[in-house]
């Protein structure tokens, strides 16, 4: 009993010491200053509303209704739950937080039988793989931007069809035809695509044609509309941990592809914690520190291309209240840092709810909803940041011909009340666009 008590005391002290080290890194004044100033500088601007017809006084209410910045998640469970109530709950939560959806285009499940792709909304059901047409209809109805994931991935478990030939000379024409077909069907509807995925990771592999990543980009460049952004996407280890300055392997891969003619339009950095040692090193302040994250974002930011933090799994470890709090604390810190960096265009959580990850990954409990689709503390963090802290809502009395304010970039509704009559106007404020908006007819 004495040994057990000492062990519990030591364990509690160890956890406390880890938390103190972690918090000291994120509360460092230099780190906090860079995050706060980055958000203020890169996500907000000064704007003026002009009221040329206004006579007397008015009450102006300004409400931001949509972000320019892309907050997203994969949408793999759309219509994928057992009950309609669960499906509705999933959709409502998705709409409440996100303006971007990662749409599954994994070849293995999109075309399980050669020549019979599952494009249409009424296609046969496959778990975590809703048909693209179904997803795009949902996105269009709810003002959500779709992102296609992924055109080419050499993973036999999740991406390579079972019917693919072993002769690499026969594989390349099939890849080219797939890219062409997807471009023809979805090129006008989806403007951002992951072209290749996890090139640097060892998977259960199928032999692939020589230089298949370069060929995939060149084929996509040929068939997709010119305004399509073609992304490269890579695993957590290569995106954030295997850093060697200008000799970082992921950077060297990007450099080589660009030199060979790949028109890379964006860079994806996955952020999965699929390792207990990694998670506990993070909580202990020994990995994924603020300096680590800024260092990598600064490196890829040099390309002047949009960066997506493309797939996020933050575990709720250990099981119980401590793990839920760990997940929430990490979520807030990471999102604030990513949001502050000028290179980052999108932050994409992966699985919305616990119990909906790919086989083998549910043990991490990486959703911000639990298995019953109830909010975890991480949901409260995301909701607080996306829908309150980072949304501009103002109310003011105006007696002149203008009203100036500073707000987050995005879409707005203004309600102007004069002599008891309220007029509503919509407008949008974007970076590097006009800073004045004329509201007439008041």
């Amino acid at each position: 009993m004495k040994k057990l008590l000492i062990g519990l005391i030591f364990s509690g002290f160890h956890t406390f010491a880890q938390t103190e080290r972690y918090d000291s890194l994120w509360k460092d004044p230099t780190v906090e200053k860079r995050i706060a100033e980055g958000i203020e500088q890169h996500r907000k601007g000064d704007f003026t509303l002009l009221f040329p017809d206004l006579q007397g006084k008015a009450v102006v209410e300004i409400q931001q209704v949509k972000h320019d910045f892309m907050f997203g998640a994969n949408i793999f469970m759309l219509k994928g739950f057992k009950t309609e109530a669960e499906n509705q709950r999933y959709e409502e939560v998705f709409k409440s937080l996100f303006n971007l959806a990662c749409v599954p285009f994994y070849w293995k499940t999109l075309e399980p039988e050669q020549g019979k792709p599952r494009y249409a909304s009424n296609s046969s059901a496959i778990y975590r793989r809703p048909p693209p047409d179904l997803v795009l209809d949902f996105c269009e109805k709810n003002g959500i931007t779709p992102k296609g994931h992924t055109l080419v991935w050499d993973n036999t478990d999740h991406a390579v069809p079972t019917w693919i030939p072993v002769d690499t000379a026969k594989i390349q024409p099939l890849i080219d035809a797939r890219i062409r077909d997807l471009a023809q069907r979805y090129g006008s509807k989806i403007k951002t695509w992951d072209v290749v995925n996890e090139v640097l990771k060892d998977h259960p592999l199928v032999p692939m044609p020589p230089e298949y990543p370069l060929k995939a980009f060149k084929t996509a460049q040929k068939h997709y509309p010119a305004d399509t952004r073609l992304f490269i996407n890579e695993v957590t280890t290569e995106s954030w941990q295997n850093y060697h300055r200008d000799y970082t392997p992921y950077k060297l891969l990007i450099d080589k592809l660009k030199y060979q003619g790949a028109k890379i339009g964006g860079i994806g950095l996955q952020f999965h914690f699929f390792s207990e040692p990694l998670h506990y090193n993070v909580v202990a302040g020994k990995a994924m520190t603020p300096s680590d994250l800024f260092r990598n974002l600064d490196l890829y930011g040099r390309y002047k291309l949009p960066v997506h933090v493309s797939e996020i799994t933050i575990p709720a470890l250990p099981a119980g209240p401590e793990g839920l709090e760990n997940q929430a604390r990490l979520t807030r810190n990471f999102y604030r840092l990513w949001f502050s960096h000028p290179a980052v265009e999108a932050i994409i959580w992966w699985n919305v709810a616990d119990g909906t990850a790919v086989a083998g990954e549910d043990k991490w409990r990486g959703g911000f909803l639990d298995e019953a689709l109830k909010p975890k503390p991480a949901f409260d963090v995301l909701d607080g940041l996306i829908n309150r802290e980072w949304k501009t809502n103002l109310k003011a009395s105006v007696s002149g011909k203008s009203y100036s304010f500073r707000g987050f970039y995005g879409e707005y509704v203004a309600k102007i009340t004069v002599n008891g009559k309220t007029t509503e106007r919509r407008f949008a404020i974007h970076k590097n666009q006009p800073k004045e908006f004329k509201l007439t007819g008041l």
Side-chain angles (χ1 to χ4, degrees):
M1 177 64 70
K2 184 177 180 181
K3 288 184 178 180
L4 176 60
L5 181 60
I6 293 173
L8 290 172
I9 293 173
F10 176 78
S11 175
F13 174 79
H14 184 61
T15 301
F16 177 73
Q18 287 182 332
T19 300
E20 278 203 326
R21 285 196 297 271
Y22 174 85
D23 288 342
S24 69
L25 293 174
W26 287 92
K27 292 178 180 179
D28 180 275
T30 303
V31 171
E32 181 53 40
K33 182 173 185 288
R34 181 171 180 181
I35 291 174
E37 290 183 351
I39 292 173
E40 191 67 26
Q41 178 182 354
H42 304 301
R43 306 303 170 197
K44 299 174 74 175
D46 295 309
F47 304 90
T48 299
L49 301 181
L50 303 176
F51 312 113
D53 303 335
L54 181 61
Q55 302 294 327
K57 294 184 178 180
V59 174
V60 179
E61 296 180 69
I62 297 170
Q63 180 183 10
Q64 186 176 0
V65 294
K66 189 174 182 179
H67 289 281
D68 271 4
F69 191 90
M70 307 306 293
F71 295 103
N74 81 42
I75 197 165
F76 296 175
M77 289 302 294
L78 183 69
K79 301 299 183 184
F81 292 92
K82 294 181 179 179
T83 69
E84 186 55 30
E86 290 173 308
N87 287 325
Q88 290 181 5
R89 167 66 176 161
Y90 177 84
E91 292 176 23
E92 288 303 317
V93 169
F94 203 101
K95 292 186 292 183
S96 75
L97 291 179
F98 301 129
N99 57 1
L100 181 146
C102 194
V103 186
F105 280 90
Y106 301 102
W107 198 359
K108 186 170 188 172
T109 43
L110 188 62
E111 192 178 356
E113 186 177 350
Q114 187 174 10
K116 298 181 179 180
R118 297 173 52 256
Y119 296 147
S121 297
N122 61 354
S123 297
S124 58
I126 295 180
Y127 182 63
R128 297 182 79 248
R129 299 294 184 260
D133 288 359
L134 178 70
V135 177
L136 291 179
D137 181 62
F138 175 81
C139 289
E140 184 177 356
K141 288 178 179 177
N142 295 287
I144 295 171
T145 299
K147 177 183 179 182
H149 176 81
T150 173
L151 295 180
V152 183
W153 186 19
D154 63 351
N155 186 300
T156 54
D157 287 342
H158 306 301
V160 179
T162 56
W163 48 261
I164 208 80
V166 295
D167 184 348
T168 57
K170 295 180 180 180
I171 296 176
Q172 189 61 56
L174 295 172
I175 293 175
D176 293 343
R178 164 179 159 83
I179 294 174
R180 181 199 65 221
D181 292 347
L182 290 178
Q184 290 175 351
R185 187 176 180 96
Y186 297 109
S188 64
K189 298 178 180 179
I190 303 177
K191 294 301 182 180
T192 301
W193 289 83
D194 287 328
V195 176
V196 291
N197 189 49
E198 302 184 358
V199 172
L200 297 176
K201 181 177 174 60
D202 291 331
H203 292 294
L205 301 177
V206 65
M208 294 292 280
E211 299 288 349
Y212 78 89
L214 176 63
K215 293 175 182 176
F217 269 98
K218 289 195 171 182
T219 303
Q221 289 161 203
K222 178 181 178 181
H223 294 291
Y224 276 89
D227 60 347
T228 305
R229 285 117 50 87
L230 303 175
F231 272 62
I232 186 170
N233 193 46
E234 197 48 76
V235 294
T236 304
T237 303
E238 301 299 338
S239 293
W240 301 97
Q241 297 174 278
N242 194 10
Y243 175 81
H244 297 282
R245 299 178 296 279
D246 283 345
Y247 302 99
T248 299
Y250 191 20
K251 180 182 182 299
L252 293 176
L253 172 64
I254 294 169
D255 289 343
K256 178 184 178 182
L257 289 171
K258 285 173 65 67
Y259 178 78
Q260 293 176 310
K263 296 179 181 178
I264 296 175
I267 299 168
L269 310 175
Q270 295 183 22
F271 201 78
H272 295 298
F273 286 13
F274 293 153
S275 160
E276 286 198 37
L278 172 60
H279 172 77
Y280 288 115
N281 278 337
V282 171
V283 174
K286 298 178 181 179
M288 300 295 190
T289 65
S291 60
D292 292 339
L293 302 184
F294 275 131
R295 176 190 67 188
N296 283 271
L297 291 175
D298 290 344
L299 176 68
Y300 297 112
R302 284 157 49 185
Y303 288 104
K304 304 300 181 184
L305 295 171
V307 170
H308 289 189
V309 184
S310 56
E311 304 177 25
I312 299 168
T313 299
I314 300 174
L317 291 175
E322 182 184 346
L324 294 173
E325 178 56 33
N326 281 340
Q327 185 189 41
R329 185 166 72 255
L330 268 59
T331 296
R332 177 172 174 81
N333 287 336
F334 290 144
Y335 266 70
R336 291 185 71 246
L337 187 149
W338 293 327
F339 188 61
S340 76
H341 199 280
V344 179
E345 176 190 77
I347 305 172
I348 305 171
W349 196 277
W350 208 231
N351 298 296
V352 167
D354 291 342
T356 64
V358 70
E361 295 177 6
D362 280 329
K363 64 181 180 180
W364 304 111
R365 296 180 58 79
F368 53 79
L369 304 180
D370 64 17
E371 290 89 343
L373 303 185
K374 293 181 179 179
K376 296 162 65 176
F379 170 85
D380 296 330
V381 166
L382 292 176
D383 186 48
L385 291 174
I386 296 170
N387 288 323
R388 287 185 290 280
E389 189 171 328
W390 293 338
K391 270 189 178 173
T392 301
N393 294 285
L394 302 169
K395 184 176 182 178
S397 294
V398 177
S399 57
K401 298 292 186 179
S402 67
Y403 174 68
S404 297
F405 70 99
R406 185 168 180 82
F408 288 96
Y409 298 118
E411 298 178 11
Y412 284 78
V413 171
K415 295 180 180 180
I416 305 98
T417 302
V418 181
N419 298 324
K421 178 184 176 182
T422 300
T423 303
E424 187 173 294
R425 294 287 188 272
R426 299 184 73 92
F427 64 96
I429 55 179
H430 306 300
K431 197 169 187 177
N432 302 322
Q433 290 191 10
K435 300 297 188 287
E436 292 185 345
F437 301 90
K438 186 181 294 185
L439 305 182
T440 60
L442 302 180

